[in-house]
Amino acid sequence: MATLRFGAYQYQHLPLDQLTERWREAERLGFDVLWNCDTLVEPDRPRHLMFDGPATLTLMAERTRTIRIGTLVTSLYFRHPATFAKSATTIDHLSSGRLEVALGVGDPSAGPAALGIHWTTAEQVSRFAEFVRLIDQLLTHEVSDFDGTYYTCTGAETIPQPLPRPPPPQTIAPHGPRMLAIAARNADSWSSWGGYDVTTEADFFRVTAERCRRFDDLCVAADRDPATIRHSVVCFPPLTPWESTAYFVDMVGRMREVGVDEFVLYWPRNWRPEALHEQQVFEQVTAETIPALRAG
């Protein structure tokens, strides 16, 4: 299993000075990765302030120094591989090689209709397979030609290339069988979350365990060792990681048993503004519990 990691997930739905404070606090508290999101609208709050993902990621690169940064996830709906690769490489250089790439379809409720996008599920999956392949090619070759069904390019340049060699680790975030197979073939890290239809904690743990087993089987079928691919979970409701330190330790332990080695965590009181105790738990977990879990 990969080294245990903890990520901070912060939507860019706050004024920029407040976002900067959050980013710097996440770095100070020792989170491994700081994620924003790629969307035209706030996914969970209609008519709410929401800045652009790539633009704020550029600011994040400039305002932090050591924490790894990325967008969870760069959306198939909104980005073309060639322009995304250029943007990603630029941010990687701005951050001195701290970029993480995460790819997914994105939340269907978070803006594709505004662009007039209405793909069938079959087309979406086929597009995503090409999306992943082409981005990987662009981030590993200075000049790329690609002739797919949905994407084509001739002499597409990615100069300079990203700073790390190999290039930034690539997270892929699928759930369905065909999408999981794409991740099993290509991902350095697989990201999962419960889903809007998962309404109880028991269901969240059950669904995560089932997906982990399915993903691991697909990795073996693709002649890859699942232990070499990070298994990441976004701790989305109904999970309440800041309920207590005991809850946090139990949550991590149960997920570790099924192969999860990365936990992506929303800021305290993001989902329960009235839960004033979450801030105190957050401070205790980041100061004591997470270092202890990392130490084994």
Side-chain angles (χ1 to χ4, degrees), residues 35-66:
W35 298 105
N36 71 357
C37 64
D38 191 16
T39 172
L40 297 184
V41 300
E42 217 280 14
D44 306 299
R45 300 168 180 84
R47 306 295 186 267
H48 195 284
L49 179 157
M50 193 71 182
F51 289 111
D52 177 65
T56 50
L57 192 61
T58 301
L59 183 63
M60 191 190 296
E62 191 274 328
R63 297 292 170 85
T64 61
R65 292 291 176 266
T66 59

Short mmCIF file of all heavy atoms in Angstrom, two decimals, residues 35-66:
data_model
loop_
_atom_site.label_atom_id
_atom_site.label_comp_id
_atom_site.label_asym_id
_atom_site.label_seq_id
_atom_site.Cartn_x
_atom_site.Cartn_y
_atom_site.Cartn_z
N TRP A 35 -6.48 20.66 -2.95
CA TRP A 35 -7.28 20.53 -4.18
C TRP A 35 -8.31 21.65 -4.29
O TRP A 35 -8.90 22.05 -3.29
CB TRP A 35 -8.05 19.21 -4.17
CG TRP A 35 -7.26 17.95 -4.13
CD1 TRP A 35 -7.10 17.12 -3.05
CD2 TRP A 35 -6.55 17.32 -5.21
NE1 TRP A 35 -6.33 16.04 -3.40
CE2 TRP A 35 -5.98 16.13 -4.72
CE3 TRP A 35 -6.34 17.67 -6.55
CZ2 TRP A 35 -5.22 15.27 -5.51
CZ3 TRP A 35 -5.59 16.81 -7.34
CH2 TRP A 35 -5.03 15.63 -6.82
N ASN A 36 -8.54 22.13 -5.53
CA ASN A 36 -9.74 22.91 -5.82
C ASN A 36 -10.58 22.11 -6.81
O ASN A 36 -10.35 20.91 -7.00
CB ASN A 36 -9.40 24.32 -6.30
CG ASN A 36 -8.80 24.36 -7.71
OD1 ASN A 36 -8.57 23.34 -8.35
ND2 ASN A 36 -8.52 25.56 -8.18
N CYS A 37 -11.58 22.71 -7.45
CA CYS A 37 -12.43 21.95 -8.36
C CYS A 37 -12.62 22.71 -9.67
O CYS A 37 -12.28 23.89 -9.78
CB CYS A 37 -13.77 21.62 -7.72
SG CYS A 37 -14.81 23.03 -7.32
N ASP A 38 -13.14 22.01 -10.66
CA ASP A 38 -13.30 22.54 -12.02
C ASP A 38 -14.78 22.55 -12.35
O ASP A 38 -15.38 21.49 -12.58
CB ASP A 38 -12.53 21.64 -12.99
CG ASP A 38 -12.42 22.25 -14.38
OD1 ASP A 38 -12.65 23.46 -14.53
OD2 ASP A 38 -12.08 21.51 -15.32
N THR A 39 -15.38 23.72 -12.37
CA THR A 39 -16.82 23.81 -12.52
C THR A 39 -17.20 25.23 -12.93
O THR A 39 -16.45 26.18 -12.67
CB THR A 39 -17.54 23.45 -11.20
OG1 THR A 39 -18.93 23.72 -11.31
CG2 THR A 39 -16.99 24.27 -10.04
N LEU A 40 -18.36 25.38 -13.55
CA LEU A 40 -18.86 26.71 -13.88
C LEU A 40 -19.69 27.30 -12.75
O LEU A 40 -19.85 28.52 -12.66
CB LEU A 40 -19.71 26.65 -15.15
CG LEU A 40 -19.01 26.20 -16.43
CD1 LEU A 40 -19.97 26.29 -17.61
CD2 LEU A 40 -17.77 27.05 -16.70
N VAL A 41 -20.23 26.43 -11.90
CA VAL A 41 -21.09 26.87 -10.80
C VAL A 41 -20.67 26.16 -9.53
O VAL A 41 -19.99 25.13 -9.57
CB VAL A 41 -22.58 26.58 -11.09
CG1 VAL A 41 -23.04 27.30 -12.34
CG2 VAL A 41 -22.84 25.08 -11.22
N GLU A 42 -21.06 26.68 -8.39
CA GLU A 42 -20.83 26.00 -7.12
C GLU A 42 -21.66 24.72 -7.13
O GLU A 42 -22.88 24.77 -7.28
CB GLU A 42 -21.24 26.91 -5.96
CG GLU A 42 -20.36 26.82 -4.74
CD GLU A 42 -20.65 25.62 -3.85
OE1 GLU A 42 -21.33 24.70 -4.28
OE2 GLU A 42 -20.16 25.63 -2.70
N PRO A 43 -21.02 23.54 -7.01
CA PRO A 43 -21.75 22.29 -7.21
C PRO A 43 -22.90 22.05 -6.24
O PRO A 43 -23.86 21.35 -6.59
CB PRO A 43 -20.66 21.23 -7.03
CG PRO A 43 -19.38 21.93 -7.28
CD PRO A 43 -19.60 23.33 -6.79
N ASP A 44 -22.82 22.61 -5.04
CA ASP A 44 -23.80 22.27 -4.00
C ASP A 44 -24.62 23.45 -3.51
O ASP A 44 -25.51 23.27 -2.67
CB ASP A 44 -23.06 21.63 -2.82
CG ASP A 44 -22.20 20.45 -3.26
OD1 ASP A 44 -22.77 19.48 -3.78
OD2 ASP A 44 -20.97 20.54 -3.11
N ARG A 45 -24.35 24.66 -4.01
CA ARG A 45 -25.06 25.84 -3.54
C ARG A 45 -25.40 26.72 -4.73
O ARG A 45 -24.53 27.40 -5.27
CB ARG A 45 -24.20 26.62 -2.53
CG ARG A 45 -23.82 25.83 -1.29
CD ARG A 45 -22.73 26.54 -0.48
NE ARG A 45 -22.36 25.80 0.72
CZ ARG A 45 -21.47 24.81 0.74
NH1 ARG A 45 -20.86 24.44 -0.37
NH2 ARG A 45 -21.17 24.20 1.87
N PRO A 46 -26.66 26.76 -5.16
CA PRO A 46 -27.01 27.54 -6.35
C PRO A 46 -26.81 29.03 -6.13
O PRO A 46 -26.96 29.56 -5.03
CB PRO A 46 -28.49 27.19 -6.57
CG PRO A 46 -28.98 26.68 -5.24
CD PRO A 46 -27.81 26.04 -4.59
N ARG A 47 -26.45 29.72 -7.24
CA ARG A 47 -26.28 31.18 -7.25
C ARG A 47 -25.28 31.65 -6.21
O ARG A 47 -25.46 32.64 -5.52
CB ARG A 47 -27.63 31.89 -7.04
CG ARG A 47 -28.72 31.48 -8.00
CD ARG A 47 -28.38 31.88 -9.44
NE ARG A 47 -29.49 31.61 -10.34
CZ ARG A 47 -29.66 30.49 -11.04
NH1 ARG A 47 -28.76 29.51 -10.94
NH2 ARG A 47 -30.69 30.33 -11.83
N HIS A 48 -24.16 30.89 -6.11
CA HIS A 48 -23.14 31.19 -5.11
C HIS A 48 -21.86 31.61 -5.81
O HIS A 48 -21.56 31.17 -6.91
CB HIS A 48 -22.88 29.94 -4.25
CG HIS A 48 -22.13 30.18 -2.98
ND1 HIS A 48 -20.76 30.40 -2.95
CD2 HIS A 48 -22.54 30.24 -1.70
CE1 HIS A 48 -20.37 30.58 -1.70
NE2 HIS A 48 -21.42 30.48 -0.93
N LEU A 49 -21.09 32.48 -5.17
CA LEU A 49 -19.78 32.86 -5.68
C LEU A 49 -18.96 31.62 -6.03
O LEU A 49 -18.88 30.67 -5.24
CB LEU A 49 -19.06 33.69 -4.61
CG LEU A 49 -17.65 34.23 -4.86
CD1 LEU A 49 -17.40 35.43 -3.95
CD2 LEU A 49 -16.57 33.19 -4.62
N MET A 50 -18.35 31.62 -7.22
CA MET A 50 -17.49 30.50 -7.62
C MET A 50 -16.48 30.98 -8.65
O MET A 50 -16.85 31.36 -9.76
CB MET A 50 -18.33 29.36 -8.20
CG MET A 50 -17.57 28.06 -8.34
SD MET A 50 -17.25 27.34 -6.70
CE MET A 50 -16.31 25.89 -7.17
N PHE A 51 -15.20 30.97 -8.28
CA PHE A 51 -14.15 31.38 -9.21
C PHE A 51 -13.72 30.21 -10.08
O PHE A 51 -13.98 29.04 -9.78
CB PHE A 51 -12.93 31.92 -8.44
CG PHE A 51 -13.16 33.26 -7.80
CD1 PHE A 51 -13.24 33.40 -6.42
CD2 PHE A 51 -13.29 34.39 -8.60
CE1 PHE A 51 -13.43 34.64 -5.84
CE2 PHE A 51 -13.49 35.64 -8.02
CZ PHE A 51 -13.57 35.77 -6.64
N ASP A 52 -13.03 30.52 -11.17
CA ASP A 52 -12.55 29.51 -12.10
C ASP A 52 -11.46 28.64 -11.47
O ASP A 52 -10.59 29.15 -10.74
CB ASP A 52 -11.99 30.21 -13.35
CG ASP A 52 -11.40 29.24 -14.35
OD1 ASP A 52 -12.16 28.42 -14.89
OD2 ASP A 52 -10.18 29.29 -14.57
N GLY A 53 -11.49 27.35 -11.78
CA GLY A 53 -10.52 26.42 -11.20
C GLY A 53 -9.09 26.66 -11.64
O GLY A 53 -8.20 26.88 -10.80
N PRO A 54 -8.79 26.62 -12.95
CA PRO A 54 -7.41 26.82 -13.39
C PRO A 54 -6.83 28.17 -12.98
O PRO A 54 -5.65 28.27 -12.61
CB PRO A 54 -7.50 26.68 -14.91
CG PRO A 54 -8.68 25.81 -15.14
CD PRO A 54 -9.65 26.19 -14.07
N ALA A 55 -7.63 29.22 -13.03
CA ALA A 55 -7.12 30.55 -12.66
C ALA A 55 -6.75 30.60 -11.18
O ALA A 55 -5.70 31.14 -10.81
CB ALA A 55 -8.16 31.62 -13.00
N THR A 56 -7.61 30.05 -10.31
CA THR A 56 -7.28 30.08 -8.88
C THR A 56 -6.17 29.10 -8.55
O THR A 56 -5.43 29.31 -7.58
CB THR A 56 -8.53 29.79 -8.02
OG1 THR A 56 -9.19 28.62 -8.49
CG2 THR A 56 -9.48 30.95 -8.05
N LEU A 57 -6.01 28.04 -9.35
CA LEU A 57 -4.88 27.14 -9.13
C LEU A 57 -3.56 27.86 -9.39
O LEU A 57 -2.56 27.64 -8.70
CB LEU A 57 -5.01 25.92 -10.04
CG LEU A 57 -4.07 24.75 -9.72
CD1 LEU A 57 -4.32 24.19 -8.33
CD2 LEU A 57 -4.24 23.63 -10.76
N THR A 58 -3.56 28.75 -10.36
CA THR A 58 -2.37 29.57 -10.61
C THR A 58 -2.05 30.43 -9.39
O THR A 58 -0.89 30.54 -8.96
CB THR A 58 -2.60 30.47 -11.84
OG1 THR A 58 -2.88 29.65 -12.97
CG2 THR A 58 -1.38 31.31 -12.13
N LEU A 59 -3.07 31.05 -8.81
CA LEU A 59 -2.87 31.85 -7.60
C LEU A 59 -2.41 30.96 -6.45
O LEU A 59 -1.53 31.35 -5.67
CB LEU A 59 -4.17 32.57 -7.24
CG LEU A 59 -4.11 33.52 -6.04
CD1 LEU A 59 -3.16 34.68 -6.32
CD2 LEU A 59 -5.51 34.04 -5.71
N MET A 60 -2.97 29.77 -6.34
CA MET A 60 -2.57 28.84 -5.30
C MET A 60 -1.08 28.50 -5.41
O MET A 60 -0.37 28.41 -4.41
CB MET A 60 -3.41 27.56 -5.40
CG MET A 60 -3.28 26.62 -4.23
SD MET A 60 -4.09 25.02 -4.57
CE MET A 60 -5.81 25.52 -4.72
N ALA A 61 -0.62 28.30 -6.64
CA ALA A 61 0.80 27.99 -6.86
C ALA A 61 1.69 29.12 -6.35
O ALA A 61 2.76 28.89 -5.78
CB ALA A 61 1.05 27.75 -8.35
N GLU A 62 1.23 30.36 -6.54
CA GLU A 62 2.04 31.52 -6.16
C GLU A 62 1.98 31.79 -4.66
O GLU A 62 2.96 32.25 -4.07
CB GLU A 62 1.54 32.74 -6.94
CG GLU A 62 2.44 33.96 -6.87
CD GLU A 62 2.15 34.82 -5.65
OE1 GLU A 62 0.98 34.87 -5.22
OE2 GLU A 62 3.10 35.44 -5.12
N ARG A 63 0.85 31.45 -4.01
CA ARG A 63 0.66 31.81 -2.60
C ARG A 63 1.08 30.70 -1.64
O ARG A 63 1.04 30.92 -0.42
CB ARG A 63 -0.82 32.16 -2.36
CG ARG A 63 -1.28 33.39 -3.15
CD ARG A 63 -0.64 34.67 -2.68
NE ARG A 63 -0.90 35.79 -3.56
CZ ARG A 63 -1.97 36.57 -3.50
NH1 ARG A 63 -2.92 36.34 -2.61
NH2 ARG A 63 -2.11 37.57 -4.35
N THR A 64 1.45 29.52 -2.14
CA THR A 64 1.94 28.45 -1.27
C THR A 64 3.38 28.12 -1.66
O THR A 64 3.86 28.54 -2.70
CB THR A 64 1.05 27.20 -1.36
OG1 THR A 64 1.06 26.72 -2.72
CG2 THR A 64 -0.38 27.50 -0.94
N ARG A 65 4.04 27.30 -0.83
CA ARG A 65 5.46 27.04 -1.07
C ARG A 65 5.81 25.55 -1.12
O ARG A 65 6.71 25.16 -1.87
CB ARG A 65 6.30 27.70 0.05
CG ARG A 65 6.28 29.22 0.01
CD ARG A 65 7.01 29.74 -1.21
NE ARG A 65 6.92 31.20 -1.34
CZ ARG A 65 6.00 31.84 -2.06
NH1 ARG A 65 5.09 31.14 -2.73
NH2 ARG A 65 5.98 33.15 -2.13
N THR A 66 5.16 24.71 -0.34
CA THR A 66 5.59 23.32 -0.23
C THR A 66 4.49 22.30 -0.52
O THR A 66 4.78 21.20 -0.97
CB THR A 66 6.14 23.03 1.18
OG1 THR A 66 5.11 23.32 2.16
CG2 THR A 66 7.36 23.90 1.48
#
